[in-house]
Each structure stands twice: as structure tokens, then as C-alpha cells.
Amino acid sequence: MEPPAISCRMLDMSQDAGMFVVPQTIGSVLCCKCGVPMVPNAANMCVTCLRSEVDITEGLQKKVDLKHCPECDCYLQPPKTWIKAQLESKELLTICVKRLKNLNGARLIHAEFIWTEPHSKRIKVKLTVQKEVLNGAILEQSYVVEYHQQDQMCESCTRVAANPDQWVAAVQLRQHVSHRRTFFFLEQLILKHDAATRAIKIKQMDEGIDFFFGNRSHAVKFVEFVGKVAPVRSRHDKQLVSHDAKSNNYNYKYTFSVEISPICREDLICLPPKVAVSLGNLGPLVICTKVTNSIALLDPITLRHCFLDADQYWRSSFKSLLTSRQLVEYIVLDVEPVSSEVNVGGSKCVLADAQVARLSDFGKNDTIFSIRTHLGHLLNPGDYALGYDLYGANNNDIELDKYKGLVLPETILIKKSYEEKRQRKRGKPRPWKLKSLDMEVDNSRGRGDQEKANNEYEEFLRDLEENPELRFNMSLYRNRDYQPSEMASVTDGGDVPSVPLEELLADLDLSDEEMGDDGMRE
């Protein structure tokens, strides 16, 4: 028999030569059961008659029990593995297919969910299988498997229900600074990536947060997540709780101590001489511009920058010379750009010479500072800026004393200030809000501590509005209670940074029982 390609080529040549060609037709036979014309197959029966004679789904499971934990929304994959899966998700479909013990020689082709009421405790999956039947003919058939969802608490949820304080592993997250801005940021990253969904209890402490888990592996996974988003160092320990000498079983309680670097964004740092030399004689006065799993440092005088990873920092750790709580407000009198726009670590900077004066000196003296700043692309005469007052500061820093003959600048500007323009919007709700962790808070603190926490959270929200890079890995939700006023754009001023509406996510309509009253913070 000639190959198809040769036959087609000879047919084209015959048509080009004008020869008469007999058209080829596909032969058909009559079904041996009903007599309907059909394409020949090995059984000589049409599909309808073949299905009436043979049922390839006979003996396959049509009803299966599925164990479901109502507390953590996990499903049991025998023998002991609990997997978190949502309804009609890829994970749940995998669990359902694996629960089928024997397909009786049939080959699975396709599987999909059939919609059922969520409260019906029934999950239906439509399966399509193929199997070889009479005389080598292959038959394809679909059937529905019904899964009966049975509620059964998993081991960790059972332990929590019996005793909520019975934890196996605890993660103590600490940062030795005088504010909680880092933990506000870290809280949003944890919510964004669902890193603490396995936590039994979350408790706010004086200089950090404690996370309690029912399994050691969950705590290890959480520590690994924190190490990917912040420069940390950790150590762990364990304590023997009980011991069964007959079965040689030991029960331990594990504790993970995780310390976050005290260097925060917008801090002014004096680098130790050894660190400055290892970074190519950077600084020594630098600004921390960004903190992830590495620390971004910028020299505001020369626009040189570098990144320190966690290992490099903890090998020769250092502290901040001045922190964001010591920022002083200045007014800009004159700005003259020195260089063109430069991309420094993903942020735009322009080196400029500026003349500034402390806002507190107005009407008292005529002290004017001539400085160099990296904010030439943002500042204009008449603007306000926040910076560190090195002219009037009393610095007792060991690292700074090591530099003999170092001339300190009078002022280092950090960022542009919108405080005067924000006064007009004070007390008005924002069009967006954030979620918060279900955390135990010590309510026995004084009124001053509560006001301090509220002010720090307000500063964190302002940082989110001013810096798009900060809110890149966060989920901001629309505030349904926000009602924009027609005069807002006229009275509030258009120069105040705000979050664009296209960055906001639609809030889910959850009941108060599921979210609680403190589920969202504006």
C-alpha cells in the first residue's frame, strides 16, 4: 500500500494533467444490532448499541466518604495527611480522584466538579473514562461520583478544642526598637501570604509578637517565611514534656527565638570603619532606604548605594545613629539641582544644593543651613521636609567617635513633608482600609501607651500613601463606609499623596461572626 503522502502527490499530478480521477469514499457497514450505517469498528456495533451491551463503569465507585475538618477547612488524604482546600479547587479535585480505590482497568480522561449547594455536605465529580471492550474496541463513557462530606476534626484542631493553650511550638518575634512600625508592615505581609493560618494563638508582646502552633513543622515554615521578608537571626530550643519508656516516645515543646534587625527604613546610620571599607568606603553617614531580607543603604551626599544581606549585617551588627522619631521639620528656601535624575536601587534621586531652615526657628532667629540633598526631584522652594538636625544634636555614638576629623553635615533631609496639607483632611476617613491579625492585646496598658500605638499606626498609614513600594506586597481594601464629598478635591488639596482606586481590592461581604469587629482597620 502506498504511503498517504505519495498517494496525495500522485492525485495532484493526475488533476494537473487533466486525467479522470475516481473519488475515494469511506466505506460504511450496517450495525449488527440495529442496522444503522456506521464507520466500521472491531465490534461491528454502533456506539449506542455498544453502550447498551457493555457498561465500562460497572464496578466503579459511585459513592465515597470524605473526611472534612470544619475548623481549619482541611480534607483528609489517607492515612494521616490533612490538606487545606477550598470548594471546587484544584487541590480538592486531586483529593477526590485519589480517593477512588480502583478504576477496574479504565483510564481516566477528564474530571470536573458538578455544582452543589455548599451546605448540602455533598460534592459531585463528573469523571470521563476509557476502556477497551469487545474485540479491541475502545469505549469512552462519563459517570458521576458523589462524595459524602463527613465532619471530623483534625489532630491539631482537636488539641486546640481540648485545651487552647496546649501548643507544641512557639515563635517569639522580637525587634529591640522604640516603635512598632516594622510589625505593622510585617502583619500585612503575613496576611497577604497566609503565613499564620496554622497559628493556634497570636499574642502581642512588649517588643514583638508571639505565635503559637500545634505542630513544629508549622513553626519552622513560619520562621522561614519571616527570614525571606526581613533580616533576622534565629535560635531554637526544646523542653521535654513527657516520656513513654515502653514505646520510647518523647513529647517536646519547641521555642523559636527570632530577632529582627533594629535598622529601620529612614534611619540615619554611622557605619563602623570595617563595614564602610568592605562596602567600598561608603559613607560613613548613610540612610536606610528599604528593608526586606536585605538592608538598602544610600549615601545622600554622593548617591552611592549598596545592599547588606542578613548574614553580612549580623556578622558585624550596628545600630542607628538617629531614628525616625527624631525627625525635625524644615522649610525649603531654595533648591538648585546639581546632577540629572539617577535611578538608585529602583528609586529616583536627584542630587541638589538646598537652603533650609528649621520650622521652629521662624520668628526667633535667622539660622539658615546650606546642605546637599538627594531629594532634588521632589523639593521646591516653599515646601516642607523632614530631616535629622545634626547641628543641634548631641551624638554619643561609639562608631562616630572612631572617625577622627570627620565633618558632619548640619542637616540631612529624609523625605518631603505633607503635614500642613494633611491638617485639612484630619479626622476624615480614608477610602481604603487594612485587615489585621486576630491577636490578643494587653488592655491593661495606660492611656499614654494606647495613644502612642495609635499615632504610630497613623504614621504607618501615611507611609503607605506616600510610598508605592511599601504597599506593593500588601492587600488594601475599599472602605464601603467612605463617602467622597463633592468639595473634597477643592478643599483637601491635590498635592497630598493618596492610594489610587485601581490598587484597592473589593472587600468580601463576610458576616460579623467570621471577621469580627476588629477584622479591618482604617
Side-chain angles (χ1 to χ4, degrees):
M1 183 177 179
E2 295 181 348
I6 299 177
S7 301
C8 293
R9 195 180 305 114
M10 294 179 61
L11 182 62
D12 294 338
M13 293 174 59
S14 302
Q15 291 177 350
D16 294 340
M19 299 175 59
F20 175 75
V21 180
V22 178
Q24 296 184 358
T25 58
I26 300 176
S28 62
V29 297
L30 300 180
C31 175
C32 63
K33 299 284 289 185
C34 62
V36 174
M38 65 168 195
V39 178
N41 58 34
N44 285 333
M45 281 191 289
C46 63
V47 177
T48 305
C49 296
L50 194 57
R51 286 179 177 172
S52 64
E53 290 288 329
V54 180
D55 183 13
I56 63 174
T57 64
E58 185 179 359
L60 302 183
Q61 288 178 288
K62 303 296 196 311
K63 293 183 181 293
V64 182
D65 292 334
L66 203 60
K67 303 294 183 182
H68 170 252
C69 178
E71 297 295 328
C72 60
D73 207 18
C74 293
Y75 292 86
L76 176 63
Q77 182 173 316
K80 293 183 179 181
T81 306
W82 290 87
I83 300 176
K84 187 175 181 63
Q86 301 294 330
L87 289 176
E88 298 192 5
S89 64
K90 185 190 302 182
E91 293 80 8
L92 182 57
L93 185 61
T94 303
I95 295 172
C96 292
V97 172
K98 287 185 177 180
R99 286 305 311 274
L100 300 176
K101 295 181 180 179
N102 184 18
L103 290 178
N104 201 16
R107 187 161 64 99
L108 181 63
I109 300 300
H110 182 68
E112 62 181 4
F113 286 104
I114 298 177
W115 187 84
T116 55
E117 290 287 347
H119 62 272
S120 64
K121 303 292 183 182
R122 297 290 189 277
I123 299 175
K124 293 184 178 181
V125 179
K126 182 180 179 182
L127 301 175
T128 303
V129 295
Q130 284 184 351
K131 188 177 181 181
E132 185 176 342
V133 291
L134 300 175
N135 299 325
I138 297 177
L139 183 62
E140 182 175 308
Q141 190 173 344
S142 299
Y143 71 105
V144 177
V145 179
E146 182 177 315
Y147 294 86
H148 180 212
Q149 187 173 307
Q150 296 179 347
D151 287 343
Q152 175 182 328
M153 295 179 67
C154 61
E155 294 180 4
S156 59
C157 293
T158 303
R159 189 183 298 110
V160 173
N163 185 1
D165 296 328
Q166 191 176 359
W167 50 270
V168 174
V171 178
Q172 298 173 347
L173 202 57
R174 297 290 185 270
Q175 186 185 34
H176 302 299
V177 292
S178 58
H179 57 81
R180 300 187 64 87
R181 291 171 53 197
T182 302
F183 292 102
F184 292 143
F185 176 72
L186 195 59
E187 180 182 12
Q188 299 305 315
L189 292 181
I190 292 173
L191 289 169
K192 171 77 173 181
H193 299 280
D194 291 332
T197 53
R198 297 286 189 176
I200 296 174
K201 184 174 68 172
I202 305 174
K203 187 176 182 180
Q204 179 176 322
M205 305 302 290
D206 187 23
E207 289 186 341
I209 306 175
D210 285 352
F211 296 84
F212 300 92
F213 298 89
N215 197 317
R216 181 182 179 274
S217 61
H218 299 159
V220 172
K221 187 176 181 180
F222 180 76
V223 172
E224 291 176 352
F225 168 79
V226 176
K228 293 178 181 178
V229 297
V232 301
R233 64 177 176 182
S234 62
R235 60 181 298 269
H236 62 276
D237 203 350
K238 62 182 179 180
Q239 180 183 5
L240 181 64
V241 177
S242 62
H243 171 221
D244 187 356
K246 294 183 179 180
S247 59
N248 200 26
N249 288 333
Y250 294 83
N251 291 327
Y252 292 97
K253 277 193 172 183
Y254 301 89
T255 303
F256 296 83
S257 177
V258 182
E259 181 183 356
I260 303 177
S261 164
I263 305 298
C264 299
R265 195 175 62 88
E266 299 175 353
D267 284 358
L268 181 64
I269 303 164
C270 180
L271 294 175
K274 291 183 179 180
V275 177
V277 170
S278 66
L279 297 177
N281 290 325
L282 183 70
L285 290 181
V286 293
I287 301 172
C288 177
T289 58
K290 188 177 181 181
V291 178
T292 54
N293 57 350
S294 60
I295 302 173
L297 302 176
L298 170 68
D299 187 344
I301 308 301
T302 61
L303 295 187
R304 293 180 59 198
H305 70 286
C306 71
F307 294 90
L308 276 178
D309 59 23
D311 293 336
Q312 288 176 311
Y313 172 78
W314 292 112
R315 198 179 301 124
S316 56
S317 60
F318 48 86
K319 294 184 178 181
S320 301
L321 180 64
L322 295 172
T323 65
S324 58
R325 300 194 65 185
Q326 298 167 287
L327 289 171
V328 178
E329 192 167 10
Y330 291 85
I331 184 169
V332 181
L333 304 177
D334 188 22
V335 177
E336 183 178 349
V338 175
S339 67
S340 58
E341 190 174 278
V342 180
N343 190 348
V344 179
S347 302
K348 296 178 181 178
C349 293
V350 172
L351 205 60
D353 290 331
Q355 289 186 345
V356 297
R358 285 178 296 210
L359 197 61
S360 59
D361 289 346
F362 260 54
K364 298 180 181 179
N365 55 57
D366 297 331
T367 305
I368 297 176
F369 304 107
S370 297
I371 62 170
R372 177 157 289 192
T373 178
H374 64 290
L375 303 177
H377 62 299
L378 294 177
L379 298 179
N380 295 304
D383 287 345
Y384 294 90
L386 293 175
Y388 293 111
D389 183 13
L390 300 180
Y391 177 78
N394 184 13
N395 297 315
N396 295 320
D397 188 73
I398 299 176
E399 304 299 339
L400 190 62
D401 295 338
K402 295 179 181 178
Y403 292 94
K404 304 298 182 181
L406 177 64
V407 179
L408 296 178
E410 296 172 330
T411 297
I412 295 181
L413 299 183
I414 300 299
K415 61 180 179 179
K416 187 176 180 180
S417 175
Y418 302 90
E419 185 62 29
E420 183 184 13
K421 297 176 182 178
R422 290 187 189 276
Q423 295 289 341
R424 307 172 189 172
K425 300 180 68 174
R426 186 160 302 229
K428 297 181 181 180
R430 288 181 171 85
W432 54 276
K433 53 188 176 181
L434 298 173
K435 284 185 178 181
S436 59
L437 289 172
D438 185 12
M439 190 186 312
E440 292 184 9
V441 182
D442 186 9
N443 295 323
S444 62
R445 296 184 300 173
R447 182 178 178 183
D449 293 338
Q450 188 63 36
E451 290 181 355
K452 175 187 173 184
N454 293 337
N455 292 335
E456 289 176 353
Y457 191 74
E458 177 65 25
E459 292 177 3
F460 170 68
L461 298 181
R462 292 179 182 178
D463 288 342
L464 291 184
E465 291 177 335
E466 296 175 7
N467 195 338
E469 292 184 6
L470 273 183
R471 57 178 185 263
F472 178 73
N473 287 325
M474 295 187 186
S475 297
L476 279 67
Y477 297 88
R478 295 180 182 177
N479 187 2
R480 289 177 294 178
D481 299 332
Y482 174 74
Q483 295 180 353
S485 117
E486 296 180 357
M487 298 296 294
S489 60
V490 178
T491 59
D492 294 345
D495 295 335
V496 181
S498 60
V499 180
L501 292 178
E502 57 267 17
E503 293 186 17
L504 304 181
L505 302 176
D507 186 15
L508 299 177
D509 295 328
L510 301 178
S511 61
D512 293 338
E513 291 78 13
E514 294 175 340
M515 281 299 301
D517 295 335
D518 297 329
M520 291 285 186
R521 297 181 66 177
E522 298 179 3

